[in-house]
Amino acid sequence: MEELKNIKVALLGSGTVGTGVYKLIERQREELPHKVGAGLTVSKVLVRDKNKKREGIDPSVLTDQWEDIITDDEIQIVVEVMGGIEPARTYITEALQAGKNVVTANKDLMAVHGGELLDIASHNGCDLLFEASVAGGIPIIRPLKQCLAGNYISEAMGIVNGTTNFILTKMTHEGMEFDEALALATELGYAEADPTADIEGYDAGRKMAIMASIAFNSRVTFDDVYTEGITNITAKDIKYAEAMGCTIKLLGVAKNTESGIEVRVHPMLIPSDHPLATVNDSFNAVFVHGDAVDDAMFYGRGAGEFPTASAVMGDIIDVARNIQFYCTGRIHCTCYKDLPIKKITEIESKYFMRLLVDDKPGVLARIADTLGKNEVSIAQVIQKNKVNDMAELVVITDLVLEQNFADALVEIKGMEHTREISTVIRVY
Amino acid sequence: MEELKNIKVALLGSGTVGTGVYKLIERQREELPHKVGAGLTVSKVLVRDKNKKREGIDPSVLTDQWEDIITDDEIQIVVEVMGGIEPARTYITEALQAGKNVVTANKDLMAVHGGELLDIASHNGCDLLFEASVAGGIPIIRPLKQCLAGNYISEAMGIVNGTTNFILTKMTHEGMEFDEALALATELGYAEADPTADIEGYDAGRKMAIMASIAFNSRVTFDDVYTEGITNITAKDIKYAEAMGCTIKLLGVAKNTESGIEVRVHPMLIPSDHPLATVNDSFNAVFVHGDAVDDAMFYGRGAGEFPTASAVMGDIIDVARNIQFYCTGRIHCTCYKDLPIKKITEIESKYFMRLLVDDKPGVLARIADTLGKNEVSIAQVIQKNKVNDMAELVVITDLVLEQNFADALVEIKGMEHTREISTVIRVY
């Protein structure tokens, strides 16, 4: 039997995900030759401080010099798990230009510079795979690019941020307020020290940009995504939603319509019997609609050391198989269309609005009149509790143009008898 | 620009799925060159009667001679959607031996002869893909073989038969009895004229054999799968299950344990808040547990013209990409282990048993005694309605060895005061 080939891998970064990948390669040592036809060895790990001890990682592979990796001709796969735009963008570019294949988990980078990097990969006949950049361990990019490649995908919708889903689950099941649930998420390690990217919807927005690009075969970048976070959601909103048979989730919504692509992330009321309504805690799920497959859903862990490493590892194994068959670059960028992207103001939504007004005759009529003038038609108005001299109103609209609703909102805010617009949430 | 290559495809069979595939290739005509780098054309369709008109299919491509296809060197992809063992097995074997790649949706064949056919594919450097053979349109084989390839999968469990799930859903939501629900399924086209393979669990068993082989990297054939259908389930059982907070589903369960592989299909009580409990009507879902990814679930349509054609089409596109990169056979059979397979009698289960006994003192004690002697420990006994001189008992056991329970059941059946063992269902 001929000697088993050994494919050398470099890891850029040894944080949570990097360590997970390192451990998985060790754990799969006996299996890999059978799966890939070659062994895999991590021969270098790029770190900031190579003298710092890293549990489970052989210290002799650590380096703090990118030069050590980029000039090492034996390294065929570079795994970027450092995150952020720079120096990741430069390293990936240089690696691809040097003919090395790249696997990355970096959504910040792929959501902004994905197109450019995939072009460089194509020109150099290399793989650039990024399954872990969307919804962590859940297989979603490969299913879209391969399994569902015979479909026109018209919609991809999902819960793609575990931190906010954990917070909303705690608010829903345990009646916590946002701050309390966020504090718990931080304590349990589900939220980072600076949770902005999660709670403002930026993280979900990046994932939706990448997913929409693949689903619709047309490049969508993070700038194209409208994002709105969950910081204004209250336990009261959730109770009201429940009374209407709904659950509040932070949803990423991407649609391929005749007039262009819509991509947005915002809280949404969805019916409690919708499959996404029962996706709880830090779990993620992505719902896809295709003309052939109809509805399909993918569910699993969207973050964490091993779930994310699982996705990275799937990519590494795929690259290794391509290396064995001399077919790296086999699936290149699939954005071959150039579809227009709609502004949020051009999109139609249904709204749930909760507001406090003076409890006086004629106030409701004036609000209804203002909505009507702006072509916002009302599906339902519910008069809730009266507090002192104020009345709480809940208004549900029909499907209306976002711009029209925004205009109406400005007018209502400015009215003499409006005390407070408590919440505005879109409805599925 | 060089002329676009055109890859020629032959379809074997033009039933529901074949017609769907033909239509999808037409529908994707403009897209395929961008996705694959080549066009795809169906140049021959093998049918029994080539004079019969087939809506949407160009009559000039019809042939009733296998020779026309196997001797046509231009055909690079053979798509087998005729079903059944023969002549499908012979045709696929000959196609692979002639260096043609094969895509099949044939679970009957792959569950029995999958290993042998995959070997032939390997020896000839060809692809043999079969995504549509498990859970129709739901991506499951590619996720297991590629995305989750860095995991040890310990469990794959699912609702993989749409007909029985439709029947059980109707029984649960509308209180129908089995016969009535089956009649409705037949009327709506969810059940075939001879529904045996569906309602007895054989269809699900074949899918579980294929899925277990891939998940555990060890060959499992249909013979290895214990199957039990849903014909004995009554509306009353479902009501009792509901009272216990459970739903009855026909589940395929595959586990990779230290003592061997378990694969079985049978009705099961699962908690109503389990993600599989809300998979209704003809939808399918597969739950997977891996050491890295943790829990993941795949949900969608398990049958039907276009959902199944979607899976076949994903395979065809993958083969076409491999042809373009000269790397067909890139992912071969992944069953490189030879794990033992446990008999059903060696497996541990929890049971729900409903029985009618004479309403006399001492009867319950004798049943409890019989169970105890056979090492079946009881979790709960509920005395239900008394009818005339009979009492209805519901017994829930702890986790017990199937053999022990079977032995106890024989004894209880033979007892003087046992009138009827109404139902025996496993519990999750």
Side-chain angles (χ1 to χ4, degrees):
Chain A
M1 193 182 145
E2 64 181 312
E3 207 188 334
L4 192 69
K5 191 171 150 188
N6 196 12
I7 295 173
K8 294 203 173 160
V9 177
L11 291 184
L12 313 187
S14 73
T16 311
V17 178
T19 310
V21 172
Y22 190 96
K23 289 181 195 163
L24 277 192
I25 292 178
E26 289 296 314
R27 215 189 264 178
Q28 289 279 321
R29 183 160 301 287
E30 301 291 309
E31 312 285 327
L32 286 166
H34 300 286
K35 288 179 180 170
V36 175
L40 284 177
T41 306
V42 177
S43 65
K44 297 217 164 72
V45 179
L46 184 67
V47 293
R48 258 186 232 158
D49 176 2
K50 68 175 181 174
N51 297 316
K52 192 173 139 191
K53 265 212 166 177
R54 281 151 222 274
E55 172 117 17
I57 298 187
D58 173 4
S60 72
V61 302
L62 299 178
T63 175
D64 52 11
Q65 298 298 316
W66 168 239
E67 291 307 308
D68 285 351
I69 291 169
I70 190 70
T71 59
D72 184 340
D73 290 341
E74 291 198 338
I75 291 171
Q76 293 185 281
I77 306 177
V78 171
V79 179
E80 187 273 306
V81 281
M82 56 207 305
I85 304 293
E86 283 297 349
R89 180 184 176 191
T90 302
Y91 291 171
I92 291 177
T93 303
E94 291 180 10
L96 293 169
Q97 284 168 343
K100 297 184 191 308
N101 302 286
V102 174
V103 173
T104 177
N106 193 329
K107 53 191 162 285
D108 300 42
L109 183 61
M110 291 306 290
V112 178
H113 301 288
E116 153 205 327
L117 295 172
L118 284 161
D119 280 348
I120 299 172
S122 280
H123 288 136
N124 291 280
C126 294
D127 279 327
L128 168 57
L129 302 185
F130 48 100
E131 181 70 76
S133 69
V134 179
I138 307 173
I140 181 71
I141 293 181
R142 207 168 270 100
L144 284 173
K145 280 199 175 195
Q146 299 184 241
C147 307
L148 303 180
N151 286 258
Y152 286 98
I153 305 288
S154 54
E155 194 171 348
M157 188 169 79
I159 294 169
V160 292
N161 180 273
T163 310
T164 47
N165 203 42
F166 176 84
I167 291 171
L168 289 173
T169 303
K170 287 294 160 189
M171 292 175 72
T172 303
H173 292 176
E174 295 172 33
M176 286 186 187
E177 281 300 345
F178 173 77
D179 289 335
E180 193 187 350
L182 172 60
L184 180 64
T186 309
E187 192 189 317
L188 296 175
Y190 289 131
E192 294 179 56
D194 176 0
T196 312
D198 290 323
I199 62 178
E200 295 296 351
Y202 306 151
D203 173 82
R206 292 182 181 110
K207 292 166 181 167
M208 290 309 296
I210 299 170
M211 190 152 62
S213 301
I214 295 167
F216 307 146
N217 300 115
S218 187
R219 180 61 54 194
V220 175
T221 63
F222 179 49
D223 280 350
D224 300 321
V225 185
Y226 171 82
T227 56
E228 198 180 297
I230 61 163
T231 55
N232 293 326
I233 307 290
T234 65
K236 198 174 194 179
D237 295 321
I238 290 174
K239 282 216 185 69
Y240 282 4
E242 268 174 10
M244 293 165 58
C246 288
T247 305
I248 297 179
K249 291 289 185 189
L250 182 69
L251 283 192
V253 179
K255 289 187 186 174
N256 191 3
T257 74
E258 285 193 10
S259 51
I261 292 177
E262 297 177 15
V263 192
R264 49 204 161 96
V265 171
H266 48 62
M268 207 165 192
L269 273 78
I270 56 172
S272 300
D273 61 356
H274 189 283
L276 287 175
T278 53
V279 175
N280 286 323
D281 300 319
S282 65
F283 276 96
N284 285 11
V286 176
F287 216 88
V288 170
H289 184 87
D291 65 337
V293 78
D294 197 61
D295 289 333
M297 191 172 85
F298 305 87
Y299 166 97
R301 295 218 171 262
E305 176 179 6
F306 282 112
T308 309
S310 165
V312 171
M313 193 68 184
D315 281 351
I316 294 173
I317 290 174
D318 225 14
V319 174
R321 284 168 167 157
N322 286 347
I323 290 173
Q324 288 297 90
F325 277 81
Y326 305 96
C327 60
T328 58
R330 181 178 157 272
I331 299 182
H332 45 68
C333 180
T334 45
C335 292
Y336 53 84
K337 296 180 189 177
D338 190 13
L339 300 174
I341 291 164
K342 286 161 84 169
K343 291 203 193 82
I344 183 72
T345 47
E346 301 165 343
I347 289 172
E348 287 194 325
S349 291
K350 276 177 76 171
Y351 276 98
F352 163 99
M353 170 169 64
R354 185 162 64 84
L355 68 170
L356 281 177
V357 296
D358 289 332
D359 185 20
K360 292 200 168 155
V363 173
L364 177 58
R366 281 199 54 200
I367 288 170
D369 184 49
T370 306
L371 289 167
K373 271 195 319 183
N374 285 285
E375 295 183 57
V376 173
S377 76
I378 300 170
Q380 208 181 346
V381 178
I382 308 155
Q383 165 113 10
K384 293 275 180 180
N385 324 311
K386 296 195 181 194
V387 190
N388 303 329
D389 53 343
M390 290 187 294
E392 189 177 41
L393 296 179
V394 168
V395 178
I396 318 278
T397 75
D398 287 328
L399 213 53
V400 302
L401 203 63
E402 293 256 353
Q403 183 65 63
N404 291 344
F405 186 78
D407 292 344
L409 205 59
V410 170
E411 279 190 53
I412 293 168
K413 250 184 202 158
M415 281 180 178
E416 189 192 343
H417 297 295
T418 304
R419 298 284 191 93
E420 181 189 289
I421 310 262
S422 313
T423 329
V424 170
I425 311 177
R426 288 166 188 82
V427 180
Y428 183 69
Chain B
M1 196 183 144
E2 65 180 313
E3 209 190 332
L4 193 70
K5 191 171 149 186
N6 196 12
I7 296 173
K8 294 201 173 163
V9 177
L11 291 183
L12 312 187
S14 71
T16 311
V17 178
T19 309
V21 173
Y22 190 94
K23 289 182 194 163
L24 275 193
I25 291 179
E26 290 295 316
R27 215 189 264 179
Q28 289 278 321
R29 183 160 301 287
E30 300 290 310
E31 313 285 326
L32 287 165
H34 300 287
K35 288 179 180 167
V36 174
L40 284 177
T41 305
V42 177
S43 66
K44 295 218 167 75
V45 179
L46 183 68
V47 293
R48 257 184 233 161
D49 177 3
K50 68 175 180 172
N51 297 316
K52 192 173 138 192
K53 264 211 167 179
R54 282 151 223 272
E55 172 118 16
I57 298 187
D58 173 4
S60 72
V61 301
L62 299 178
T63 174
D64 52 12
Q65 298 298 316
W66 167 238
E67 291 307 307
D68 285 348
I69 291 168
I70 189 69
T71 59
D72 183 340
D73 290 340
E74 291 198 340
I75 291 171
Q76 292 185 280
I77 307 176
V78 171
V79 178
E80 186 274 302
V81 282
M82 57 206 305
I85 303 294
E86 283 297 352
R89 181 183 177 191
T90 302
Y91 291 170
I92 290 177
T93 303
E94 292 180 9
L96 293 169
Q97 284 167 343
K100 299 186 192 304
N101 303 286
V102 175
V103 172
T104 177
N106 193 330
K107 51 191 165 287
D108 300 41
L109 183 62
M110 291 305 292
V112 179
H113 302 288
E116 153 205 327
L117 295 172
L118 284 162
D119 281 348
I120 299 171
S122 279
H123 288 137
N124 292 281
C126 293
D127 280 326
L128 170 56
L129 302 185
F130 48 102
E131 181 70 77
S133 69
V134 180
I138 306 174
I140 182 72
I141 294 182
R142 206 168 271 102
L144 284 172
K145 280 200 173 193
Q146 298 185 243
C147 307
L148 303 179
N151 286 258
Y152 287 98
I153 306 287
S154 54
E155 194 172 348
M157 189 169 81
I159 295 169
V160 291
N161 180 272
T163 309
T164 47
N165 203 43
F166 176 84
I167 292 171
L168 290 173
T169 302
K170 288 292 160 193
M171 292 174 73
T172 304
H173 292 177
E174 296 172 29
M176 287 185 187
E177 282 298 348
F178 173 78
D179 289 335
E180 193 188 349
L182 172 60
L184 180 64
T186 309
E187 192 190 316
L188 295 174
Y190 289 131
E192 294 178 56
D194 176 1
T196 312
D198 290 322
I199 63 178
E200 295 296 349
Y202 306 150
D203 173 82
R206 293 183 180 111
K207 292 167 181 166
M208 291 309 296
I210 300 170
M211 191 150 62
S213 301
I214 295 167
F216 308 146
N217 300 116
S218 187
R219 181 61 52 195
V220 176
T221 62
F222 179 49
D223 280 351
D224 300 320
V225 184
Y226 172 82
T227 55
E228 198 179 297
I230 60 163
T231 53
N232 292 327
I233 306 291
T234 65
K236 199 175 196 179
D237 294 320
I238 290 176
K239 282 217 185 67
Y240 283 3
E242 267 174 11
M244 293 165 59
C246 288
T247 305
I248 298 179
K249 292 290 184 187
L250 181 70
L251 283 190
V253 179
K255 289 186 185 176
N256 191 2
T257 75
E258 285 190 10
S259 52
I261 292 176
E262 297 177 14
V263 193
R264 48 205 161 95
V265 170
H266 48 62
M268 205 166 194
L269 273 77
I270 56 171
S272 300
D273 61 356
H274 189 285
L276 287 175
T278 52
V279 175
N280 287 322
D281 300 318
S282 66
F283 276 95
N284 282 199
V286 176
F287 216 87
V288 169
H289 185 87
D291 66 337
V293 77
D294 196 64
D295 289 333
M297 192 173 86
F298 305 86
Y299 167 98
R301 296 218 170 262
E305 176 180 8
F306 283 111
T308 310
S310 166
V312 171
M313 193 67 186
D315 282 353
I316 294 174
I317 289 175
D318 225 14
V319 174
R321 283 168 168 156
N322 286 347
I323 290 173
Q324 288 297 89
F325 277 81
Y326 305 97
C327 61
T328 58
R330 181 179 157 271
I331 300 182
H332 44 67
C333 180
T334 45
C335 291
Y336 53 84
K337 297 182 188 176
D338 189 15
L339 301 174
I341 291 163
K342 288 162 81 169
K343 292 203 190 86
I344 184 72
T345 48
E346 301 166 345
I347 290 174
E348 288 194 322
S349 292
K350 278 177 75 170
Y351 275 99
F352 163 100
M353 170 169 63
R354 188 161 66 82
L355 67 171
L356 281 176
V357 295
D358 289 333
D359 184 20
K360 291 201 172 156
V363 173
L364 178 57
R366 282 199 52 203
I367 289 170
D369 185 49
T370 306
L371 290 166
K373 272 194 319 186
N374 285 285
E375 295 183 58
V376 173
S377 77
I378 299 170
Q380 208 182 344
V381 178
I382 308 154
Q383 164 111 10
K384 293 276 183 180
N385 323 311
K386 297 194 179 195
V387 189
N388 304 328
D389 55 340
M390 291 186 294
E392 187 176 41
L393 295 178
V394 168
V395 177
I396 318 278
T397 75
D398 286 328
L399 213 54
V400 302
L401 203 62
E402 292 256 354
Q403 183 65 63
N404 291 345
F405 186 80
D407 292 345
L409 206 59
V410 170
E411 279 192 52
I412 293 169
K413 250 184 202 158
M415 280 181 179
E416 187 192 347
H417 296 296
T418 302
R419 298 286 191 93
E420 179 188 291
I421 310 260
S422 314
T423 328
V424 171
I425 311 178
R426 290 168 187 82
V427 180
Y428 182 68

